Amino acid sequence: MDHHQESNSPLKQLFPLSSSPFFSTFKIKKHIFVGISLLISFLIFSVTFVDLVGIKPHICFGFFSSSSTKERRDDHVCDFSHGKWVRSRQRDVDGTSYGEECRFLDPGFRCLNNGRKDSGFRQWRWQPHGCDLPRFNATDFLERSRNGRIVFVGDSIGRNQWESLLCMLSQAVSNQSEIYEVNGNPISKHKGFLSMRFPEHNLTVEYHRTPFLVVVARPPENSPEDVKMTVRVDEFNWQAKKWVGSDVLVFNTGHWWNEDKTFNIGCYFQQGGKLNKTMGVMEGFKKSLKTWKSWVLEKLDPESSYVFFRSFSPVHYRNGTWNLGGLCDADTEPETDMKKVEPDPIQNKYVSEVIQEMRYEHSKVKFLNITYLTEFRSDAHPSRYREPGTPEDAPQDCSHWCLPGVPDTWNEILYAQLLAMNYTTN
């Protein structure tokens, strides 16, 4: 075919009419035929290959199927961190809840017992966008955890979550009086290490109080008089040897990483054995996360340890700080005004980045992101309904949570993420 023929109409080149009165003979150019043949061969090979390796094949050219994106999303773990609070049907509340009579609760978290009149804060459930949160199954969780250890490490908000999980799991135990603290310590008013054993499943659910995760100790010799203690950002907590071998670890920190809990009480940062008074709080926080990362990668088995770092739990002090008249007792329902919702704290960004760095060396390290969903729940704090004996003029508690309450949802998400990883200790 010469250049003059190629300059004719492309339609005539591809589909010239035959002399037959009944049929049109399509004389396709050789190079077009070869190209189409190669494309078809490639598609057949691709579908066959992905089927052999166990991957669902999808047509993903956009104009073929509008549902392909949804199908691919459903093949992966749902993002439980974004959604909305919806009113629960009564059976939803009864299905996974416990009461304030649960003996593992601190008095300060029993808000109705402490005088709160409305119980509406209990009647909400979290509905993620685009998927459902699996129903919490305490029987299944206990069975998956048989002969194992579930460990919470962090500040008192971590204890809040630990007590919630104890009460949720105990609902599946026929004789709850058999659950005991391994060292005989009372739960209420006890600080430090607590370990509750579920004898029927040979399971311990533990709490270790370590607000900074790293070591807090005396400052180096000859430090200035205003330095009372230091946070050693490059030394992981001395209790950490107790956590090795745990099956599930839930870490948290954040509420002590501020100037009130550091500089204002004479607490500064230390690295390499040397005091550093110029190190800022968030710089110290980032360095401590690197120390946590190193410990996890060095000490924990990536095949058997499921590690979570829970995100920052919001506080809701209005019209003042915690020690200057801040309040949260006016709200009785989740926040609906998005203008009042605080942006994601910078701590979450740093935690997320560190976990991303770890994903190839320890695939079972996950970010338990509860900040956004919790930000709406200014109605669910103890506020002025604190434990009996608290002075009337004492600051309101707008950082911890009434139980039953919001931390139950954190544990539902924890359970869902474990399910997604096929968690079991057996």
Side-chain angles (χ1 to χ4, degrees), residues 53-270:
V53 298
I55 303 173
K56 260 187 183 177
H58 295 281
I59 300 298
C60 53
F61 297 119
F63 50 83
F64 278 96
S65 172
S66 61
S67 64
S68 61
T69 302
K70 181 179 186 299
E71 290 172 358
R72 289 196 302 276
R73 183 183 65 228
D74 290 345
D75 284 344
H76 297 84
V77 179
C78 171
D79 179 7
F80 299 117
S81 62
H82 286 83
K84 63 181 180 180
W85 289 98
V86 297
R87 285 194 181 275
S88 297
R89 297 187 297 272
Q90 190 60 40
R91 66 180 183 88
D92 292 330
V93 176
D94 293 341
T96 60
S97 70
Y98 50 90
E100 287 190 357
E101 69 278 3
C102 176
R103 63 190 181 93
F104 308 119
L105 296 184
D106 265 304
F109 303 150
R110 305 173 194 253
C111 299
L112 298 185
N113 188 62
N114 295 337
R116 182 166 179 167
K117 302 301 182 184
D118 69 291
S119 61
F121 66 93
R122 293 183 179 181
Q123 297 168 0
W124 297 86
R125 65 177 178 83
W126 181 248
Q127 176 59 59
H129 291 318
C131 58
D132 291 320
L133 189 58
R135 192 174 181 83
F136 186 88
N137 186 329
T139 301
D140 177 67
F141 202 162
L142 284 170
E143 190 56 44
R144 289 174 180 271
S145 305
R146 184 177 291 277
N147 302 317
R149 294 175 63 200
I150 300 174
V151 176
F152 288 82
V153 178
D155 56 28
S156 57
I157 310 298
R159 177 173 175 145
N160 221 170
Q161 185 180 3
W162 171 72
E163 292 184 14
S164 163
L165 185 61
L166 286 174
C167 291
M168 294 172 77
L169 291 177
S170 68
Q171 300 309 295
V173 177
S174 56
N175 186 358
Q176 295 183 19
S177 64
E178 293 183 349
I179 304 170
Y180 65 94
E181 207 285 321
V182 295
N183 296 309
N185 292 317
I187 291 183
S188 179
K189 298 294 185 182
H190 183 84
K191 295 182 178 181
F193 166 61
L194 289 165
S195 177
M196 303 301 299
R197 180 173 293 281
F198 290 69
E200 186 178 340
H201 296 84
N202 191 30
L203 165 70
T204 57
V205 184
E206 307 169 25
Y207 165 71
H208 297 256
R209 184 180 182 274
T210 56
F212 287 98
L213 296 185
V214 291
V215 171
V216 180
R218 293 178 179 178
E221 291 185 8
N222 302 317
S223 295
E225 289 187 6
D226 62 330
V227 180
K228 308 300 181 185
M229 65 188 79
T230 57
V231 177
R232 301 179 183 179
V233 295
D234 55 351
E235 291 185 43
F236 203 52
N237 194 278
W238 293 329
Q239 297 184 50
K241 59 182 180 293
K242 298 179 181 178
W243 313 332
V244 176
S246 301
D247 299 282
V248 178
L249 289 100
V250 183
F251 292 92
N252 89 281
T253 188
H255 282 266
W256 286 62
W257 291 90
N258 57 65
E259 293 190 0
D260 278 342
K261 297 290 181 71
T262 54
F263 303 149
N264 293 350
I265 60 172
C267 182
Y268 292 85
F269 298 104
Q270 177 179 327

